[in-house]
Amino acid sequence: MKAYAMLGPGKTGWIEKERPSCGPLDAICRPIALASCTSDVHTVWENALGPRTDLTLGHEGVGEIVEVGALVKDFKPGDKVLCAAITPDWGSVEAQGGYSMHSGGMLCGWKFSNIKDGMFADFFHVNEADSNLALVPDGMDLGVAAMLSDMLPTGLHGAELADVQFGDSVCVIGIGPVGLIAVRGAVLRGAGRILAVGTRPNCVDVAKKFGATDIISYKAGPLLDQVMDMTGGAGVDRVIVAGGDCDTFDDAVSMLKPGGTIGNVNYLGEGDYIKIPRLGWGVGMGHKTIVGGLMPGGRRRLEKLASLVQNGRIDPSLIITHRRKGMDAIEEILLLMKDKPSDLIKPVTIIEW
Amino acid sequence: MKAYAMLGPGKTGWIEKERPSCGPLDAICRPIALASCTSDVHTVWENALGPRTDLTLGHEGVGEIVEVGALVKDFKPGDKVLCAAITPDWGSVEAQGGYSMHSGGMLCGWKFSNIKDGMFADFFHVNEADSNLALVPDGMDLGVAAMLSDMLPTGLHGAELADVQFGDSVCVIGIGPVGLIAVRGAVLRGAGRILAVGTRPNCVDVAKKFGATDIISYKAGPLLDQVMDMTGGAGVDRVIVAGGDCDTFDDAVSMLKPGGTIGNVNYLGEGDYIKIPRLGWGVGMGHKTIVGGLMPGGRRRLEKLASLVQNGRIDPSLIITHRRKGMDAIEEILLLMKDKPSDLIKPVTIIEW
Amino acid sequence: MKAYAMLGPGKTGWIEKERPSCGPLDAICRPIALASCTSDVHTVWENALGPRTDLTLGHEGVGEIVEVGALVKDFKPGDKVLCAAITPDWGSVEAQGGYSMHSGGMLCGWKFSNIKDGMFADFFHVNEADSNLALVPDGMDLGVAAMLSDMLPTGLHGAELADVQFGDSVCVIGIGPVGLIAVRGAVLRGAGRILAVGTRPNCVDVAKKFGATDIISYKAGPLLDQVMDMTGGAGVDRVIVAGGDCDTFDDAVSMLKPGGTIGNVNYLGEGDYIKIPRLGWGVGMGHKTIVGGLMPGGRRRLEKLASLVQNGRIDPSLIITHRRKGMDAIEEILLLMKDKPSDLIKPVTIIEW
Amino acid sequence: MKAYAMLGPGKTGWIEKERPSCGPLDAICRPIALASCTSDVHTVWENALGPRTDLTLGHEGVGEIVEVGALVKDFKPGDKVLCAAITPDWGSVEAQGGYSMHSGGMLCGWKFSNIKDGMFADFFHVNEADSNLALVPDGMDLGVAAMLSDMLPTGLHGAELADVQFGDSVCVIGIGPVGLIAVRGAVLRGAGRILAVGTRPNCVDVAKKFGATDIISYKAGPLLDQVMDMTGGAGVDRVIVAGGDCDTFDDAVSMLKPGGTIGNVNYLGEGDYIKIPRLGWGVGMGHKTIVGGLMPGGRRRLEKLASLVQNGRIDPSLIITHRRKGMDAIEEILLLMKDKPSDLIKPVTIIEW
C-alpha cells in the first residue's frame, strides 16, 4: 500500500509499505478524512521524537473499517468511525488508575506516527477497536469528525485540567486550533471573562466567536503586565497554556491567583526546565496548581465529544480553513501546517475511495 | 418603617416595624429591586417553616446602602449592592469547612424571611456586609441583578451538584425559573444532550433558548419510560431535580446511569421519606450519588455569577416575565407567584426612592 | 471436574462440570485458598440473584494458574495469583469512565457466582487475566491473600465512598468482616473518632484493634439517640454503612452533619425503597451526600491493597477466625457463613494439590 | 510588656512593647506553651521576609485568654486555647473560595511574626478569636498542644496536597519535624510503602515509628537513582516535599509516575526558579501535578487535628526532643532551632504565670 511517511529527519515522501495486519482485538481502516497537525511538523522538522525512518505520519482522521479481528464485537467492515489520536491499552494498570493516555508508560497511549505507523496511508491499524473507535454520527461532516481526533479532546482537556468553575476569569495563552478549542472549553466549563492571547486576525475572530471577551497581543507589551492591568492587579483564576514554550510558565504562574490552576496542553519541544518563578509561586506555598496532560482518547470520550458537536455546544467547522480532496492532498495539508500561511487555522482532506 | 409581612399562617399584609439596627459588621439597605419566590409562597400558605407572626417576607433583591457598621471596610452609604438570599456567618466552623450555607446549623445561612426579617420593607439588614454584599456592576439591569439573589445561585448549583462533565446527557426535572437556570447551568458545565421536563409553553420556550435539546411532558406518559425510550434504554449521566416532590427521586434514580449523580435544588415541602428505589439504586451498590444542597451565598459567589451575566454566558432577563414599579407592587408580585398565571415565570418590582 | 454449586433455591452440593475453556485473554486457575461470603448465603438461601441451577459458588480466593490464553503477556502457568471478586471488562465504556465494576451494565463487573461459575471448583476461569490478576506477594499468607478478593476492597471502599478527611468523626454501622475492614479504612483515611455499631464480642474486639474508639450496641437504645448523645448533639462527619437494611439510612442520614457523606457497601437484599428522611436530609438541601458502590476490582487495585498489607497498614488475619484445609472443607465454610456461630468472623480453606 | 523580637537583620533580644489592644472580634492571650520554628530562623538570619525592626517573633504556641472583644461569643478569659500559626480573615473572598490562608492576598493569612507581632511576648493578639481559637482538650499535654500550631497542620497538609490514596507509594523528601509529620500524614491517608529521605539518626528513628518503610540517605548516592532502584524503575505515586530547595523538584518530578502529584510544604527561601524538568514532566503532558501550599488554620482545623491526637492516630510528643520552662527559655529554644544540635527535632517551653 502507499503511505506518506517521515523518511528521515526533515524529509517526507510517499513510500510503499505492507498493509498492517489485524490482530484479534483490532481493526483496519481506510482513511476517509485526514488532518495534519503541528505535532507532525515537530516530528519531521524539529526532531521532537528523535530520528525516525519511514514512519507513516498522521494521527487525525476518520476511517472506514475494512477488517476487524475475531474478538471485535461492536464494529464491522463498512462502518465509518471516529478515531482519536490516542489509542490506549485499556487493560493496563495506568488505564485502570484513570490515566489511559499513559498506558504502558508516560505518553505511551500515543501510538499513531509515534510508536507505530500513522493514518496517512491507504490503510491504518487501530488497536482495541471496540474501545478506541466510535461510529461517526449520522450527518456529521467528515472534516468536523476529523477534529474529534485531537483538536477537540486536546483543547477541551485544557479547560478540564485548569478546573474552570462558574464565573472564573481564564487566560488562554495561544490561540492556534488547540487554544481556540480551549477558549470554547472554558466557556463550556463556566468561565466568565476569557482573556485570549494571540495576534493572527483569523484566530482572533474565531476566539471571539467561541467566547473570548478580551484579546491580548504579545506585540502590545509584556503579557504579564497586560493581564495584571486588565484585571486591576488581581490576576486570573485559571490559565490554559496552549502555546508558547518553557518560559511561558513564568508569566502563567505570576498572573494566577492563589488557589488557581494552570492546565497545560502544549507540547514543550525544547529546553531543560520549565520556568516556575519562586516568588510568583508563593515561595512554594501559594496553592497554585500546575498540571499538564496528554488528551484522553477512547470510545467513551469520542462519543461524549461528538455529543457536544451534535447538540450545538461547539462548532469545530470554525477552525477548518482549508478543505482539500483525496489522498494526494496529504502533502499539501502537511506543508500548510508547516508553513502556516496567514489564513490557516486547520486543513483537512476528504477522501473518497 | 413599613414592611410587607406574613401576619400568620395564610395571611399577609403591610405592617409597621422598627427599622433594623446596624451592628458593627452590618449594613442597612433600602430595596431598589425586589422579586418574589415560590419559597415565600411555601412559607405563608404551606406552613413550610412553621407558624410565624409578623415576619417580613422577601429574600430576593437589590439594595442601596443607607448605613454601615464601624467595622465595614468595603462598602459605604449610597452603594448599590447585590445581596444573596443566603447570608452566612463566615467565621463559623461550617463555613470554614466549605458549607457556609449551613453556618450555625443545617440551612441556618438562610436568614431573610426565615430567621430574621426579609427584604420586603423600607429597610433591610445585612449581616457581615463586607462578605455578603457585592457592588451592582455598572450598567446591569436591576431586575437582572435581583435574579442573582436566588435564581442564578440556586439553579447553577444544581448543575454543580450534579457534577456535569463534557458531553454528559442531563435530565432537568422541573423548568420553573430555577430549573430553567439549571438548564443553562448544565450547558455551562459542558452538557451535550439536555432533556428538560415541563409543560408550560413559556418555560419550554426559554428552556430551548437556554440550551435544552429535548422537552418531556408529564402528560405524554410516565417520565421514566420517556427518558429510557429517548436514550435507547441507557438512561442519562446526570439528573438535576428542580421540581416535583419526594416521589420524584424514584424516577430520577432509575433513569440515572451507574456512576452518575443526582443534584437536587428543590425544596421538598412535605412527606416523610425521599423515595430511593432499592433496585434502581443497584441494591446499594450502583454508584449513583444523591445530593441536594442549599445555594451558596456571599460576596465571592455574587461576583462570580455577575461575571457570567456581564460576559454574556447567561441572560437572566429571559426568565423575568413581569416587571412592576414601586414598593406598592410587592403584594402583586407575591400573589403572582402564588397564583402562577400561565404567562408567569418570574416577576420583579423596581423601586425608586 | 468437581464443582460445589447452587443446585437450585436453598440447595447446594457437589456436581460434575466441564472444565472452563480458556479464551485468548483469559486464564484458568486451580484454587489454592478459598473463603465463603455472606453473598453466597444470600444467593443460595435468600433468592438475592433469583433462581439459579447448578451455578458454581464462590468469589473469594487465590489461584494457581494452569493455563493462559495466547494474548496473555504477564502471567504463566504456575503463577500464584490474587483475584478479586469483581473482574471487569476493562475496555468497556463504563470502565473508561472510571466505573469498571459496572462494565457492560450496573453491577455487571461481578461475574463469579453471579453471571458465570464461581471459584468453588477444581478450576476457575478469569477473564482478561493481565488486567484482573496480580501475583501473590512473596511470603503472604494464603488466607490473608484470600481477603484481598472482597473483604479488603469492599470494606476500604466504604471509607473511600464516605470521603473521610483528617480528624473526621465516623460512624461505621455494622461490624461483620466488611465493617471491620471499613473501620480500619476510616483510620487509614484520617478519621479521628470512630463509632462502631455492633454487638458480637469477637467483632467488638477486632473493631477496637483496628481503631474504633467507641462501640455502640443496638441493644442499648435507638442508634440515632446514642450517636447524638455521644457527640453532644452534633452528629458525625461521615457514615459508612456496612450492615443493616433499607431502614438503616433513616438513622444514617439523621446522624450526619450537613456537608457529610454516607458511603454504603452493604448489599441491600430486600425492600422497595431506601428510607431517606426528608427532614433529616435538610428538606433536600442539607448537602448530605448519599452514595453506595460495588467494590473496584482489577490488577491495580489488588496490587495497591496488597501493598497496604505488606507494609503493615492493615492486618487481615485478625478477621480470619476459622482455617480449614482442602476442597472438602468448602461446604463447611459455606455453612459456617450461613449459621454464623458466635466465634465466627470469616472462614478460609487452604488447598494443596 | 516584654517581647522577644527580631531587632534587625541577624539580631534578636528582649524589648519593651505595648500590650496589644483587643478589637471587638479579637482575643488577647498570655502564652502558656511556646515552640520555635525554622521559619523564625529564616526570618531573623536569612532575610526571608526582608528587613524587620523590633518584630516580636514566634508563631507556635498555646495561650490562656486574658481579654476578649465585645463580639466574641465562644471564648472567655481563663480559657486555655490552641492557636494556629495562620489566623485568616474568614470573611475574605479568598476564604470564601476555600483558600483562607491567602485571605487578603497570597500568604496573608500568616500574620504572627510576619505582618504583626508574634507570640514570644507577655501577651499576644488573636484576630477573629471565635474562628481562630479552639479549646485545649482536657488532659492534652501543652507541648503537644503547641505542635498543633504549625507542625501538624503543615506536615499533614503535605499528605493532603499530594492526594495520597490507598496503597500508594510515597516519597517524603526531608524528615525534619514537618517531614516527620508528613510521613504520619501519608500513613493516615492510606499510603503503602513510604520512602523517607533524611539522615539524622533521631529523625530516622521517628520516621520509622511514624510508618516510614524505607529510609534514603543523600549520602548513599543521587536521590533519583536510589528511588528508581528501590522501585524497580517505576517511581512513586506521590511525593511530599518537606525539605530541600528549588532544585529538589528536579528529582521529585522525575521520580513521580504519570498521574501522580507532588505536594510541597517547604518554604523555598532562595533562587529564581523552581526546576521542573521538561522531559521528566512528560514534555508538558505527563499528568504530573505540582502544588504547594501554606497550612490551613482556623478553629475547625484545630479541632480536627486535636481529634487525631486525642484518638491516638498521631503522637506529636515523638518530635519534641527538648522541653524547657518559662519565658526565659525562649532565646534558648530559638537558638536550638538555629544551631540544630544532632539530638534536636523540636524544642518547646512551658510557661506558668
Side-chain angles (χ1 to χ4, degrees):
Chain A
M1 67 171 195
K2 286 201 309 174
Y4 190 81
M6 173 176 181
L7 308 177
K11 291 175 62 181
T12 61
W14 287 99
I15 57 174
E16 272 294 316
K17 281 229 162 184
E18 266 192 72
R19 189 185 130 155
S21 64
C22 187
L25 296 163
D26 307 339
I28 305 298
C29 298
R30 271 193 181 284
I32 57 175
L34 290 168
S36 58
C37 178
T38 305
S39 302
D40 292 310
V41 176
H42 291 318
T43 301
V44 175
W45 287 280
E46 297 170 14
N47 196 32
L49 305 175
R52 303 295 172 95
T53 303
D54 294 350
L55 175 75
T56 306
L57 294 167
H59 56 263
E60 299 186 31
V62 185
E64 180 174 322
I65 295 177
V66 296
E67 182 183 356
V68 297
L71 298 174
V72 173
K73 296 176 198 160
D74 299 340
F75 297 96
K76 61 183 187 310
D79 285 346
K80 291 180 182 173
V81 287
L82 305 169
C83 182
I86 308 303
T87 51
D89 305 304
W90 287 98
S92 64
V93 290
E94 293 85 1
Q96 291 186 21
Y99 291 93
S100 58
M101 63 290 283
H102 305 296
S103 63
M106 189 158 60
L107 309 181
C108 292
W110 178 21
K111 298 177 190 294
F112 286 126
S113 68
N114 180 13
I115 57 180
K116 75 172 182 183
D117 279 321
M119 295 178 177
F120 289 175
D122 289 346
F123 300 95
F124 65 88
H125 167 271
V126 181
N127 57 302
E128 300 189 23
D130 278 337
S131 302
N132 283 321
L133 296 174
L135 291 175
V136 178
D138 282 346
M140 182 177 279
D141 170 76
L142 289 181
V144 163
M147 296 301 102
L148 289 166
S149 292
D150 187 351
M151 295 300 97
L152 263 75
T154 297
L156 295 174
H157 197 41
E160 291 172 321
L161 290 174
D163 195 23
V164 178
Q165 302 294 323
F166 280 142
D168 280 349
S169 56
V170 180
C171 182
V172 179
I173 301 178
I175 49 172
V178 164
L180 289 170
I181 299 294
V183 167
R184 189 68 197 156
V187 170
L188 295 178
R189 292 305 291 167
R193 193 178 184 187
I194 298 176
L195 297 76
V197 181
T199 56
R200 299 173 76 211
N202 56 346
C203 292
V204 165
D205 181 54
V206 175
K208 288 177 182 171
K209 284 179 180 155
F210 275 163
T213 55
D214 302 79
I215 304 294
I216 297 176
S217 165
Y218 289 110
K219 301 174 184 170
L223 173 57
L224 179 60
D225 292 353
Q226 291 189 67
V227 171
M228 297 315 275
D229 279 354
M230 293 168 79
T231 58
V236 293
D237 296 304
R238 313 283 161 183
V239 178
I240 303 174
V241 180
D245 54 28
C246 287
D247 290 0
T248 302
F249 291 76
D250 195 354
D251 281 353
V253 168
S254 295
M255 74 174 62
L256 189 67
K257 293 183 194 173
T261 299
I262 296 174
N264 178 68
V265 286
N266 190 31
Y267 180 104
L268 298 166
E270 52 185 350
D272 289 333
Y273 291 98
I274 315 294
K275 288 180 85 167
I276 306 298
R278 183 182 64 89
L279 291 174
W281 204 48
V283 298
M285 301 190 294
H287 285 98
K288 297 186 176 186
T289 300
I290 304 164
V291 62
L294 186 63
M295 58 159 272
R299 178 178 183 170
R300 184 176 179 277
R301 179 76 169 181
L302 287 166
E303 291 176 348
K304 292 275 186 188
L305 301 193
S307 172
L308 286 181
V309 174
Q310 289 177 279
N311 289 294
R313 310 306 180 199
I314 182 169
D315 180 2
S317 72
L318 292 179
I319 63 169
I320 304 174
T321 51
H322 293 63
R323 288 177 179 265
R324 297 290 177 269
K325 289 201 176 173
M327 292 291 284
D328 290 346
I330 286 176
E331 185 163 77
E332 182 188 355
I333 65 170
L334 180 65
L335 294 178
L336 276 169
M337 217 61 205
K338 175 165 178 274
D339 298 335
K340 290 210 169 66
S342 67
D343 62 343
L344 179 85
I345 301 179
K346 194 83 185 178
V348 297
T349 182
I350 308 299
I351 304 123
E352 291 184 34
W353 293 93
Chain B
M1 66 170 195
K2 287 202 307 175
Y4 190 82
M6 175 178 180
L7 308 178
K11 291 175 61 181
T12 62
W14 287 99
I15 58 173
E16 272 295 315
K17 281 230 163 184
E18 266 192 72
R19 188 185 130 155
S21 64
C22 187
L25 295 164
D26 307 339
I28 305 298
C29 299
R30 272 193 181 285
I32 57 175
L34 290 169
S36 58
C37 178
T38 305
S39 302
D40 292 310
V41 176
H42 289 319
T43 301
V44 176
W45 287 281
E46 296 170 15
N47 196 32
L49 305 175
R52 303 296 172 94
T53 303
D54 294 350
L55 174 76
T56 305
L57 293 167
H59 55 264
E60 299 187 30
V62 185
E64 181 175 320
I65 295 178
V66 297
E67 184 182 356
V68 296
L71 299 174
V72 174
K73 295 175 198 159
D74 298 341
F75 298 96
K76 61 183 188 310
D79 285 346
K80 291 179 182 174
V81 287
L82 305 169
C83 183
I86 308 303
T87 52
D89 305 303
W90 288 98
S92 64
V93 290
E94 292 86 2
Q96 291 186 21
Y99 290 92
S100 58
M101 63 291 282
H102 305 296
S103 63
M106 189 158 59
L107 308 182
C108 292
W110 178 20
K111 299 177 189 294
F112 286 126
S113 68
N114 180 12
I115 58 180
K116 76 173 183 184
D117 280 320
M119 294 179 176
F120 289 175
D122 289 345
F123 301 95
F124 65 88
H125 167 271
V126 180
N127 57 302
E128 300 190 22
D130 277 337
S131 302
N132 283 320
L133 296 174
L135 291 175
V136 178
D138 282 346
M140 182 177 279
D141 170 77
L142 290 181
V144 163
M147 296 302 101
L148 289 166
S149 292
D150 187 351
M151 295 300 97
L152 263 73
T154 297
L156 294 175
H157 197 42
E160 291 173 321
L161 291 174
D163 194 22
V164 178
Q165 302 294 323
F166 280 142
D168 280 349
S169 56
V170 180
C171 182
V172 179
I173 302 180
I175 50 172
V178 164
L180 288 170
I181 299 295
V183 167
R184 189 70 196 154
V187 171
L188 295 177
R189 293 304 292 165
R193 192 177 184 187
I194 298 177
L195 297 76
V197 181
T199 57
R200 301 173 74 212
N202 56 347
C203 292
V204 165
D205 181 54
V206 175
K208 289 177 181 171
K209 286 179 179 155
F210 275 163
T213 53
D214 302 80
I215 304 294
I216 297 176
S217 165
Y218 288 110
K219 300 174 185 170
L223 172 57
L224 178 60
D225 292 353
Q226 291 189 69
V227 170
M228 298 314 277
D229 279 355
M230 294 168 79
T231 58
V236 293
D237 295 302
R238 313 284 162 182
V239 178
I240 303 174
V241 179
D245 54 29
C246 287
D247 290 1
T248 302
F249 291 77
D250 195 353
D251 280 354
V253 168
S254 295
M255 74 175 63
L256 189 67
K257 292 184 194 172
T261 299
I262 296 174
N264 178 67
V265 286
N266 189 32
Y267 180 105
L268 299 166
E270 53 185 350
D272 289 332
Y273 291 98
I274 315 294
K275 287 180 87 166
I276 306 298
R278 182 181 66 89
L279 291 174
W281 204 49
V283 297
M285 302 190 294
H287 285 98
K288 297 186 176 185
T289 300
I290 305 164
V291 61
L294 187 62
M295 58 160 271
R299 178 179 182 169
R300 184 175 179 278
R301 179 76 169 181
L302 287 166
E303 291 175 349
K304 291 274 186 188
L305 301 193
S307 171
L308 286 181
V309 174
Q310 289 178 277
N311 289 294
R313 310 305 181 200
I314 183 169
D315 180 1
S317 72
L318 292 180
I319 64 168
I320 304 174
T321 50
H322 293 65
R323 288 177 178 265
R324 298 291 178 267
K325 289 200 176 173
M327 293 291 285
D328 291 347
I330 287 176
E331 185 163 78
E332 183 189 355
I333 64 170
L334 179 65
L335 294 177
L336 276 168
M337 217 62 206
K338 174 166 180 273
D339 298 336
K340 290 212 168 65
S342 67
D343 61 345
L344 180 84
I345 301 179
K346 195 82 183 179
V348 296
T349 183
I350 308 298
I351 304 124
E352 292 184 32
W353 293 92
Chain C
M1 66 172 194
K2 287 202 310 175
Y4 190 82
M6 173 177 180
L7 308 178
K11 290 175 62 180
T12 62
W14 288 99
I15 58 175
E16 273 294 316
K17 282 228 162 186
E18 266 192 73
R19 188 186 131 155
S21 64
C22 187
L25 296 163
D26 307 339
I28 304 297
C29 299
R30 273 192 180 285
I32 57 176
L34 290 169
S36 57
C37 177
T38 305
S39 301
D40 292 312
V41 176
H42 290 320
T43 301
V44 175
W45 288 280
E46 296 169 16
N47 197 32
L49 304 176
R52 304 293 172 96
T53 303
D54 295 350
L55 176 76
T56 305
L57 293 167
H59 55 263
E60 299 186 30
V62 185
E64 181 175 322
I65 295 178
V66 296
E67 182 183 356
V68 296
L71 298 174
V72 173
K73 296 176 198 159
D74 298 340
F75 298 96
K76 60 183 188 308
D79 285 346
K80 293 180 180 173
V81 287
L82 306 169
C83 183
I86 308 303
T87 51
D89 305 304
W90 287 98
S92 64
V93 290
E94 293 84 2
Q96 291 187 19
Y99 291 93
S100 59
M101 63 291 282
H102 304 298
S103 63
M106 189 158 60
L107 309 181
C108 292
W110 177 22
K111 298 176 188 296
F112 286 127
S113 68
N114 180 13
I115 57 179
K116 73 172 184 185
D117 280 320
M119 295 178 175
F120 289 175
D122 289 346
F123 300 95
F124 64 88
H125 167 271
V126 181
N127 58 302
E128 300 189 23
D130 278 337
S131 302
N132 283 319
L133 296 174
L135 291 175
V136 178
D138 282 346
M140 181 177 279
D141 170 77
L142 290 181
V144 163
M147 297 300 104
L148 289 166
S149 292
D150 186 352
M151 295 300 98
L152 263 75
T154 297
L156 295 174
H157 197 43
E160 291 173 320
L161 291 174
D163 195 24
V164 178
Q165 302 294 323
F166 280 142
D168 279 349
S169 55
V170 180
C171 182
V172 179
I173 302 179
I175 50 172
V178 164
L180 289 170
I181 299 294
V183 167
R184 189 69 196 154
V187 171
L188 295 178
R189 291 304 292 165
R193 193 177 184 188
I194 298 176
L195 297 77
V197 181
T199 56
R200 300 173 75 210
N202 56 346
C203 292
V204 166
D205 180 54
V206 175
K208 289 177 180 170
K209 284 179 180 155
F210 274 163
T213 54
D214 301 81
I215 304 294
I216 296 176
S217 166
Y218 289 108
K219 300 173 183 169
L223 172 57
L224 178 60
D225 293 354
Q226 292 188 68
V227 171
M228 296 315 276
D229 279 355
M230 293 168 80
T231 57
V236 293
D237 295 303
R238 312 284 162 183
V239 178
I240 302 174
V241 179
D245 54 29
C246 287
D247 290 359
T248 302
F249 290 77
D250 195 354
D251 281 354
V253 168
S254 295
M255 74 175 61
L256 189 67
K257 292 183 193 174
T261 299
I262 296 174
N264 178 68
V265 285
N266 189 31
Y267 180 105
L268 299 167
E270 53 185 349
D272 289 332
Y273 291 98
I274 316 294
K275 289 181 85 168
I276 306 297
R278 183 181 64 89
L279 291 174
W281 204 48
V283 297
M285 301 190 294
H287 285 99
K288 297 186 175 184
T289 299
I290 305 164
V291 61
L294 186 63
M295 59 160 271
R299 179 176 182 172
R300 184 176 178 277
R301 179 76 168 181
L302 287 166
E303 291 176 348
K304 291 275 185 188
L305 301 193
S307 172
L308 286 181
V309 174
Q310 287 177 280
N311 288 294
R313 310 306 181 199
I314 182 168
D315 180 2
S317 72
L318 292 180
I319 63 169
I320 304 173
T321 51
H322 293 64
R323 288 177 178 266
R324 298 291 178 268
K325 289 201 174 170
M327 293 291 285
D328 291 346
I330 286 176
E331 185 164 79
E332 182 189 355
I333 64 169
L334 179 66
L335 294 177
L336 275 168
M337 217 61 205
K338 175 167 180 272
D339 298 335
K340 290 210 167 65
S342 67
D343 62 343
L344 179 85
I345 300 179
K346 194 83 185 178
V348 296
T349 183
I350 309 297
I351 303 123
E352 292 183 33
W353 293 92
Chain D
M1 68 172 193
K2 287 203 307 175
Y4 189 82
M6 173 176 179
L7 308 177
K11 291 175 59 181
T12 61
W14 287 99
I15 58 175
E16 272 294 315
K17 281 230 164 184
E18 266 192 72
R19 187 185 131 157
S21 65
C22 187
L25 295 164
D26 306 340
I28 304 299
C29 298
R30 272 191 180 285
I32 57 176
L34 290 168
S36 57
C37 178
T38 304
S39 302
D40 292 312
V41 176
H42 290 318
T43 302
V44 175
W45 287 281
E46 297 170 15
N47 196 32
L49 305 176
R52 303 294 173 95
T53 303
D54 294 350
L55 175 76
T56 306
L57 294 166
H59 55 263
E60 299 186 30
V62 186
E64 181 174 322
I65 294 177
V66 297
E67 183 183 355
V68 296
L71 298 174
V72 174
K73 296 176 196 157
D74 297 341
F75 298 97
K76 60 182 189 309
D79 285 346
K80 292 180 181 172
V81 286
L82 305 169
C83 183
I86 308 302
T87 52
D89 306 303
W90 287 97
S92 64
V93 289
E94 292 86 1
Q96 291 185 21
Y99 291 94
S100 59
M101 63 291 282
H102 305 297
S103 64
M106 190 159 59
L107 309 181
C108 292
W110 177 20
K111 300 176 189 296
F112 286 126
S113 68
N114 180 12
I115 57 179
K116 74 173 184 184
D117 280 321
M119 295 177 175
F120 289 176
D122 289 346
F123 300 95
F124 65 88
H125 167 270
V126 181
N127 57 303
E128 300 190 23
D130 277 338
S131 302
N132 283 321
L133 296 174
L135 291 175
V136 178
D138 283 346
M140 182 178 280
D141 170 77
L142 289 181
V144 163
M147 296 302 103
L148 289 166
S149 292
D150 187 352
M151 295 300 98
L152 263 73
T154 297
L156 295 174
H157 197 42
E160 291 173 320
L161 290 174
D163 194 24
V164 179
Q165 301 295 323
F166 280 141
D168 279 349
S169 56
V170 180
C171 182
V172 179
I173 301 179
I175 50 172
V178 164
L180 288 170
I181 299 295
V183 167
R184 189 69 196 156
V187 171
L188 295 178
R189 292 303 293 166
R193 192 177 185 188
I194 298 177
L195 297 77
V197 181
T199 57
R200 301 173 73 212
N202 56 346
C203 292
V204 165
D205 181 54
V206 176
K208 289 176 181 170
K209 285 179 179 155
F210 275 162
T213 54
D214 302 80
I215 305 293
I216 297 176
S217 165
Y218 289 108
K219 301 174 185 170
L223 173 55
L224 178 59
D225 292 353
Q226 291 189 68
V227 171
M228 297 315 276
D229 279 354
M230 294 168 80
T231 58
V236 293
D237 295 304
R238 312 283 163 182
V239 178
I240 303 175
V241 180
D245 54 29
C246 287
D247 290 359
T248 302
F249 290 77
D250 194 354
D251 281 353
V253 168
S254 294
M255 74 175 62
L256 189 67
K257 292 183 194 173
T261 299
I262 296 174
N264 178 68
V265 286
N266 189 31
Y267 180 104
L268 299 167
E270 52 185 349
D272 289 331
Y273 291 98
I274 315 295
K275 289 180 86 167
I276 306 298
R278 183 181 65 90
L279 290 174
W281 203 49
V283 297
M285 301 189 294
H287 286 99
K288 297 186 175 185
T289 300
I290 305 164
V291 61
L294 186 63
M295 58 159 272
R299 179 178 182 171
R300 183 175 180 278
R301 179 76 169 182
L302 287 166
E303 291 176 349
K304 292 275 184 187
L305 300 194
S307 171
L308 286 181
V309 174
Q310 287 177 280
N311 289 295
R313 309 305 180 200
I314 183 169
D315 180 2
S317 72
L318 292 179
I319 63 169
I320 304 174
T321 51
H322 293 65
R323 289 176 177 266
R324 298 291 179 266
K325 288 200 175 172
M327 293 292 283
D328 291 346
I330 286 176
E331 186 163 78
E332 182 188 356
I333 64 169
L334 180 65
L335 294 178
L336 276 168
M337 217 61 205
K338 175 166 179 273
D339 299 335
K340 290 211 167 65
S342 67
D343 61 344
L344 179 83
I345 300 179
K346 194 84 185 177
V348 296
T349 183
I350 308 297
I351 305 123
E352 292 184 31
W353 293 91

